[in-house]
Amino acid sequence: MHIKNVGFHLKMPKEISFDILTWKTIYTLLCQDRSFKECLLLIKNAKNEHVVTYIVDLLEQGVAIENIVNGMNRDKVCKQLRFFISFLPFQDALHTALDMIQFEKNINRLLSSTLLYPMFLIVFSSIVLFLFTYIILPILQTMLELQNDAFVLLLTVMNRCVILFYIVFVILVFVLIRLYQKSNVNALYNILHILHLDFVIKKYTSFIFSQYLYVLMEHGVSTKHSMEILQSCENKPIIKYVACKLHEQFMRGEDFIDVLHNAYLDTTFCMLCNLGYHTNSFSYALLEYKEVVQMWLQAFMKRLSIIVQFVAYGCIGMIVIVVYQILLMPMTLLETM
């Protein structure tokens, strides 16, 4: 269908988006039995006027809401919405998308609040260690004329430790960057699975997977069909990967219980789903698993925070000890003269 020019640049369709608050307002208006077009006109203001005008123009030309949502590539809500809108009415799909965004935001908030201070300590101590090793130590060596073997050995060890730390840091940053590249997430997950180092990511994947599965089943979608739908979840490549694995088992004719005991899923998830299946409370089992993982996540974050703080304080303590030993060296030399 030909879309008339409404006075925007050709790249405009790639830039149209709303913030989360605007989408929540739209959902509230939709709950009052208003049309999507009417909701857009009611939330129109100076900030989003060009976006609202563009979308309203598309609606007036008969463009489906699904196609409009697919064109909003930079909108966080639409990245979730375009998945749910394929099998839910627009209002329900928007509600579910907002819930999933809030759910993931809570996880990220918990992670950041737990690790922000310890990570600051590690970064601060690493900077101090770098400055101390490459600036302060050489100056002290020159000023105090320390040329004994102990000091040279200490300086060498400190240099090696700093180099090793930054090598590890660069590798971790590189891995995190690769994680954000969706084409490589599945390959990395598969490698971690082969090496049996996927415990945390398996728990997280099962957590997210269970919530998507719960939404589908609550709307009357069968388990087998749910796997087919989850295979199209482009914004969650790991979920798509696991769904493909489960669907392959279904296609081979494996029993539902055997499919649930998949190596890529958390054993607790498999156990609760097994109980839910035999007690005809599968949806309740998915909700129960959510509560179990939330408690585990809080405990895990607390333990991880303690470990990170221990490493950070250990680095600072090592610097203090080294400085103390260096300050004692001139006195030791005087005693031996």
Side-chain angles (χ1 to χ4, degrees):
M1 179 181 295
H2 177 70
I3 300 176
K4 66 179 181 179
N5 188 349
V6 291
F8 297 108
H9 298 291
L10 292 177
K11 65 178 181 179
M12 184 60 197
K14 297 182 179 180
E15 298 177 351
I16 54 175
S17 64
F18 292 126
D19 55 30
I20 296 178
L21 179 60
T22 300
W23 278 116
K24 288 182 178 180
T25 305
I26 292 175
Y27 172 72
T28 302
L29 294 172
L30 287 172
C31 292
Q32 299 174 1
D33 295 327
R34 301 176 186 272
S35 66
F36 183 47
K37 178 181 176 181
E38 186 180 359
C39 295
L40 290 174
L41 294 175
L42 288 173
I43 58 99
K44 185 177 181 181
N45 55 40
K47 183 179 179 180
N48 61 24
E49 180 179 2
H50 61 295
V51 178
V52 170
T53 303
Y54 183 85
I55 297 177
V56 169
D57 184 74
L58 293 179
L59 292 172
E60 290 177 347
Q61 295 177 57
V63 179
I65 296 179
E66 292 82 356
N67 295 333
I68 296 175
V69 168
N70 290 333
M72 302 175 74
N73 298 318
R74 298 188 180 183
D75 193 304
K76 293 181 180 179
V77 176
C78 285
K79 289 179 180 179
Q80 292 275 0
L81 184 58
R82 67 170 57 101
F83 169 72
F84 293 110
I85 204 173
S86 62
F87 60 90
L88 292 177
F90 179 72
Q91 182 175 327
D92 294 339
L94 178 57
H95 184 207
T96 306
L98 290 171
D99 284 346
M100 291 303 296
I101 288 177
Q102 187 62 45
F103 163 72
E104 294 181 2
K105 185 181 293 186
N106 291 338
I107 294 179
N108 294 332
R109 186 183 296 115
L110 174 64
L111 181 66
S112 60
S113 62
T114 304
L115 298 180
L116 183 61
Y117 176 67
M119 291 303 296
F120 168 76
L121 287 178
I122 286 185
V123 172
F124 176 75
S125 61
S126 66
I127 293 175
V128 172
L129 183 62
F130 176 82
L131 295 176
F132 180 76
T133 303
Y134 286 94
I135 297 178
I136 299 177
L137 272 181
I139 292 176
L140 288 175
Q141 183 181 16
T142 303
M143 290 177 59
L144 301 176
E145 298 181 354
L146 298 175
Q147 301 296 334
N148 61 331
D149 295 336
F151 185 83
V152 174
L153 177 62
L154 176 62
L155 186 60
T156 302
V157 171
M158 293 288 290
N159 289 336
R160 298 294 183 273
C161 289
V162 171
I163 293 173
L164 179 62
F165 174 82
Y166 282 103
I167 290 175
V168 173
F169 179 77
V170 170
I171 292 174
L172 289 176
V173 171
F174 176 77
V175 170
L176 289 175
I177 292 174
R178 301 293 289 182
L179 275 173
Y180 281 100
Q181 298 179 1
K182 295 182 179 181
S183 59
N184 298 316
V185 172
N186 294 339
L188 178 62
Y189 185 29
N190 208 22
I191 293 173
L192 292 175
H193 177 72
I194 294 174
L195 298 176
H196 301 287
L197 299 174
D198 61 337
F199 174 71
V200 176
I201 193 172
K202 183 188 293 185
K203 183 82 70 173
Y204 176 79
T205 301
S206 301
F207 189 24
I208 303 296
F209 181 80
S210 66
Q211 298 314 297
Y212 277 85
L213 186 60
Y214 174 77
V215 170
L216 290 165
M217 298 188 69
E218 280 296 290
H219 288 84
V221 183
S222 66
T223 307
K224 185 177 180 180
H225 190 206
S226 296
M227 300 306 167
E228 295 174 353
I229 293 175
L230 289 174
Q231 289 181 87
S232 63
C233 191
E234 298 293 340
N235 64 317
K236 296 291 179 184
I238 294 181
I239 301 299
K240 179 180 178 179
Y241 182 74
V242 173
C244 289
K245 292 292 183 181
L246 297 178
H247 185 65
E248 289 174 2
Q249 292 179 261
F250 274 120
M251 295 303 292
R252 290 197 298 267
E254 295 186 23
D255 188 67
F256 180 73
I257 299 300
D258 296 330
V259 172
L260 284 179
H261 288 81
N262 188 282
Y264 290 90
L265 293 174
D266 178 32
T267 54
T268 305
F269 172 77
C270 299
M271 180 191 69
L272 289 176
C273 288
N274 191 8
L275 292 174
Y277 176 77
H278 285 97
T279 57
N280 294 323
S281 58
F282 191 77
S283 295
Y284 177 77
L286 295 176
L287 286 178
E288 187 176 3
Y289 179 72
K290 177 182 178 181
E291 297 177 358
V292 170
V293 175
Q294 283 178 335
M295 291 187 293
W296 173 86
L297 185 63
Q298 291 177 352
F300 176 76
M301 287 295 103
K302 186 178 294 184
R303 291 195 300 269
L304 184 61
S305 175
I306 293 174
I307 293 173
V308 173
Q309 289 187 56
F310 177 79
V311 173
Y313 287 125
C315 292
I316 295 175
M318 182 177 65
I319 294 173
V320 172
I321 293 173
V322 170
V323 172
Y324 178 74
Q325 292 296 325
I326 290 175
L327 293 177
L328 288 179
M329 279 185 178
M331 299 179 62
T332 304
L333 292 176
L334 290 175
E335 291 177 358
T336 56
M337 291 179 62

